[in-house]
Amino acid sequence: MAPVNVAAANTPYYTPAQTPPAGTALSPNPPTLFTPIKIRDVTFQNRIWVAPMCTYSAKDGFLTDFHFQHLSAFSFRGASLTIIEATSVLPNGGITPQDSGLWSDAQIAPIRRIADFVHSQGQKLGIQLAHAGRKASTLAPWLVGRGESDLATEDVGGWPADVMGPSAIPWGKGYATPREMTAQDIKDLINGFRDAAKRAVEAGVDVIEIHAAHGYLFCSWMSPISNKRTDQYGGSFENRIRLLLETIKAVREVIPSGMPLLVRVSSTEWMENSGEPESWDVESTIRLAKLLPALGVDLLDVSSGGNHEKQVIPRHNVDYQVDIAARIRAELLEAGIKGLLIGAVGLITEAEAAKSIVENGKEGPRDQVEIENERGVKTKADIVLVARQFLREPEWVFRVAYKLGVEVKWPIQYHRGQFRKDGELVTVP
């Protein structure tokens, strides 16, 4: 009997089954970067995830064929998790009029279409639920010239009169002045996240991330620079994080117990030398991180910046965010908190760098923030999240594996196109 070209299970059309999925290590004893990790009920065959990347290409919040092609390209090429870009939970929560949205049941279908394909490849799909807060109703970045206003006015689909935030403080010149959110606005926001999470589950996503970074709503709420409220949601650290914690609880309550829940934060505003008496900094993030496991958060995605136009980011150090992730992870472990994984993101472009983040330490200043894991190696983070490098190289997972000398599974349709080594094809059993 001839071999059968087996179909992928639970897929509404024929496509060959990828068993095991692309990006799975075939070499014995691979580096940690290419070992599986299980979070709740979901297993990822490697530690390389595609971070959410805004593309400002949706129509009334609906994802299109562009998003299908864009996101499918990464999952087909070995990324164990691909996260859909910042997706607004309310109509006034997009960064631009062309942002992804999930405030309506009608917006489920195009997400489900992407999920069906990603799952047919044996991969996982995530979604980042978000509200842009005081950075809402802006233009796509390629439309804004130097010195021009970012504001999207009503004539181009914007909503400058309905931008909202913790306080009536604009992000900067050229942005809308937000209205201070009322008690009803807060209730609507939490319900928006809860309902969007339900829709995401119905759409078939495997992972949900709450966006609390880059100056968007939760980030601005947690910062004493942009939150000047005098009620129970402002003032003290505990009051400023209250809205995020209430939202996390609401989301965790409505998603399956086996579904991983992530939170992305700006670990620092980079405003320490701004003259402000207080800002959100790494110490604040560590305080927050220690509270998250009890709320059912599984991973903290560590980014930074974006809440103030006067931020000063030390970009001369390519590890500037990885170092912070390492510090947070180390302090959590030193406090005996092992229930929160850490994701590192930012300027991760090279194979050895990605490998070192989740496994091997480097000599130098970073040693003081490294903690040995159960395998006796020093680890800065548990997952690497990569964005722009995937835009340059959608096959980055395969390139990393090749450079590290790790044989990995390729899509079976592409088995003849694998990278060459010493003039010969790199073969897969």
Side-chain angles (χ1 to χ4, degrees), residues 295-323:
L295 298 173
V297 176
D298 301 293
L299 182 140
L300 185 68
D301 179 358
V302 180
S303 190
S304 70
N307 195 47
H308 202 285
E309 59 185 345
K310 293 183 179 179
Q311 65 185 11
V312 179
I313 300 176
R315 294 191 185 277
H316 59 278
N317 174 12
V318 297
D319 290 337
Y320 70 105
Q321 284 182 175
V322 174
D323 288 342

Side-chain angles (χ1 to χ4, degrees), residues 336-353:
I337 299 172
K338 298 182 179 181
L340 185 67
L341 299 173
I342 298 296
V345 63
L347 301 182
I348 301 171
T349 62
E350 302 300 326
E352 285 293 339

Side-chain angles (χ1 to χ4, degrees), residues 199-273:
R199 294 185 185 105
V201 172
E202 185 176 345
V205 304
D206 305 284
V207 173
I208 287 177
E209 177 170 87
I210 296 174
H211 196 357
H214 305 159
Y216 302 120
L217 191 97
F218 291 123
C219 179
S220 66
W221 208 286
M222 294 190 294
S223 168
I225 295 176
S226 44
N227 182 346
K228 300 297 184 181
R229 301 176 72 94
T230 57
D231 61 4
Q232 62 177 332
Y233 291 99
S236 68
F237 170 85
E238 291 77 12
N239 282 358
R240 286 183 280 110
I241 67 171
R242 188 185 306 276
L243 180 60
L244 175 61
L245 300 192
E246 290 179 351
T247 303
I248 291 170
K249 290 178 183 177
V251 169
R252 184 77 261 179
E253 286 173 356
V254 299
I255 64 176
S257 60
M259 175 179 280
L261 179 60
L262 323 177
V263 173
R264 170 169 277 196
V265 295
S266 279
S267 54
T268 174
E269 296 183 83
W270 299 113
M271 294 290 287
E272 289 84 354
N273 299 316

